Amino acid sequence: MKRVALVLSGGSAYGFAHIGVIKILEKNNIKVDLVGGTSMGAIVGGAYAAGLTVDKMEELLVGFSRKKIMDFNPFVLTDDGFLFGKKVTNLLKRIVGDKKIEDCEKEFFCIATDLVKGKKIVFEKGPLVHAIRASMSVPGLFKPLRTDEMCLVDGGICDNLPVDEARRLGADIVIAVDVSTHYKKENNLKSAFDILISASNLTMSNWMKTLKDKGDVYIKIDQPKVSFLKFSYEDAIQSIKYGEKMARKMLPEILKALK
């Protein structure tokens, strides 16, 4: 039996589209053995691997608004992040609980970046919330996760679509979902949050252009009517619909690869 991996890229609010892709895979009884992701892809992928239904993922993740994740750090001028990250950690705990990666229903991994040694870190075991929190920590915005002499930040800096890691973990077929390649100009860059997230998106978009292995099935999702920055309910729902639409379009190619 071939091992099928689903690899989900980072991409801020565009990452809600991953839920739409999973919805179509589930409807067509396409079994996924391994799930991997970076940043927002780690959040959605972690929830999926932990056993959440698509409906539950949609219910919990669509509520991932700015207000629910922003806990401003008043010591930002002398500290290492605008946001403490406690709110987002608590929200992640609501989504996946205290589950460990090795106890997930599906095999899971996610990517973070260690700024101390300047290298990619692959989480394959340990607390799921810890791994996701490291993977999504946009530098300068969220306080990094510091542990074992490492300073862990967003995995999109070094590997925003970790197809190679899925191959290393024994995947025969990789379905890769990219929500980051379309860098959309943002005219509403009013806050430090907007600037940091937009700069992160540009970094990821440029990195994607150099990626050679984009999986056996590569699903690229552009989202012209969704803001990369807003995290609004309306944008999240629209993003999920974009994911469903593109997954339906790519379904023949997915089924062909599985055969």
Side-chain angles (χ1 to χ4, degrees), residues 179-240:
V179 297
S180 71
T181 57
H182 177 65
Y183 178 73
K184 186 169 64 175
K185 293 180 181 178
E186 291 282 353
N187 297 317
N188 193 31
L189 300 174
K190 295 181 179 179
S191 68
F193 177 90
D194 296 336
I195 291 169
L196 284 167
I197 292 290
S198 190
S200 176
N201 181 32
L202 182 56
T203 300
M204 293 176 189
S205 299
N206 288 334
W207 182 89
M208 285 298 303
K209 294 173 184 176
T210 68
L211 188 63
K212 294 179 181 179
D213 187 351
K214 294 186 177 181
D216 300 284
V217 180
Y218 175 61
I219 304 176
K220 179 179 179 292
I221 306 174
D222 291 335
Q223 304 179 52
K225 294 183 180 180
V226 173
S227 170
F228 181 77
L229 304 171
K230 281 174 80 173
F231 283 91
S232 69
Y233 175 82
E234 293 76 17
D235 277 17
I237 295 299
Q238 182 62 57
S239 179
I240 291 170

Side-chain angles (χ1 to χ4, degrees), residues 7-43:
V7 177
L8 308 176
S9 82
S12 192
Y14 291 160
F16 289 112
H18 293 316
I19 299 173
V21 173
I22 292 170
K23 189 179 289 189
I24 297 304
L25 296 179
E26 294 275 288
K27 281 184 178 179
N28 288 274
N29 298 312
I30 295 172
K31 182 178 179 292
V32 172
D33 304 291
L34 171 66
V35 185
T38 298
S39 200
M40 192 64 174
I43 297 172

Side-chain angles (χ1 to χ4, degrees), residues 1-7 33-35 107 109 162-175 213 216:
M1 190 70 116
K2 291 183 177 180
R3 270 169 58 82
V4 178
L6 178 65
V7 177
D33 304 291
L34 171 66
V35 185
E107 191 175 343
F109 72 91
V163 172
D164 59 335
E165 297 300 336
R167 304 272 191 213
R168 179 182 63 81
L169 291 169
D172 299 301
I173 298 168
V174 178
I175 301 168
D213 187 351
D216 300 284

Side-chain angles (χ1 to χ4, degrees), residues 104-116:
C104 286
E105 292 188 9
K106 299 180 187 298
E107 191 175 343
F108 175 74
F109 72 91
C110 67
I111 305 299
T113 303
D114 176 18
L115 291 181
V116 174

Side-chain angles (χ1 to χ4, degrees), residues 1-164:
M1 190 70 116
K2 291 183 177 180
R3 270 169 58 82
V4 178
L6 178 65
V7 177
L8 308 176
S9 82
S12 192
Y14 291 160
F16 289 112
H18 293 316
I19 299 173
V21 173
I22 292 170
K23 189 179 289 189
I24 297 304
L25 296 179
E26 294 275 288
K27 281 184 178 179
N28 288 274
N29 298 312
I30 295 172
K31 182 178 179 292
V32 172
D33 304 291
L34 171 66
V35 185
T38 298
S39 200
M40 192 64 174
I43 297 172
V44 177
Y48 183 41
L52 272 71
T53 65
V54 173
D55 289 341
K56 195 64 177 177
M57 278 193 285
E58 191 168 338
E59 175 192 333
L60 292 172
L61 290 171
V62 166
F64 214 78
S65 66
R66 280 198 194 187
K67 287 182 180 179
K68 290 185 179 179
I69 65 173
M70 293 188 76
D71 46 2
F72 183 70
N73 179 4
F75 308 107
V76 65
L77 294 178
T78 56
D79 211 339
D80 53 7
F82 279 94
L83 305 177
F84 283 118
K86 292 178 181 178
K87 279 190 175 182
V88 75
T89 300
N90 290 334
L91 186 56
L92 291 172
K93 285 181 179 177
R94 277 188 57 211
I95 295 169
V96 300
D98 295 322
K99 189 163 284 191
K100 290 186 176 180
I101 294 175
E102 52 266 45
D103 297 328
C104 286
E105 292 188 9
K106 299 180 187 298
E107 191 175 343
F108 175 74
F109 72 91
C110 67
I111 305 299
T113 303
D114 176 18
L115 291 181
V116 174
K117 294 184 178 178
K119 69 175 186 178
K120 176 168 69 174
I121 301 296
V122 184
F123 284 95
E124 300 175 45
K125 60 182 180 179
L128 183 56
V129 166
H130 176 91
I132 296 172
R133 170 69 172 81
S135 183
M136 59 158 288
S137 296
V138 177
L141 181 62
F142 289 104
K143 284 176 69 68
L145 216 60
R146 296 181 182 273
T147 177
D148 297 332
E149 300 182 347
M150 293 189 292
C151 180
L152 299 171
V153 297
D154 199 302
I157 294 172
C158 60
D159 195 349
N160 199 42
L161 190 68
V163 172
D164 59 335

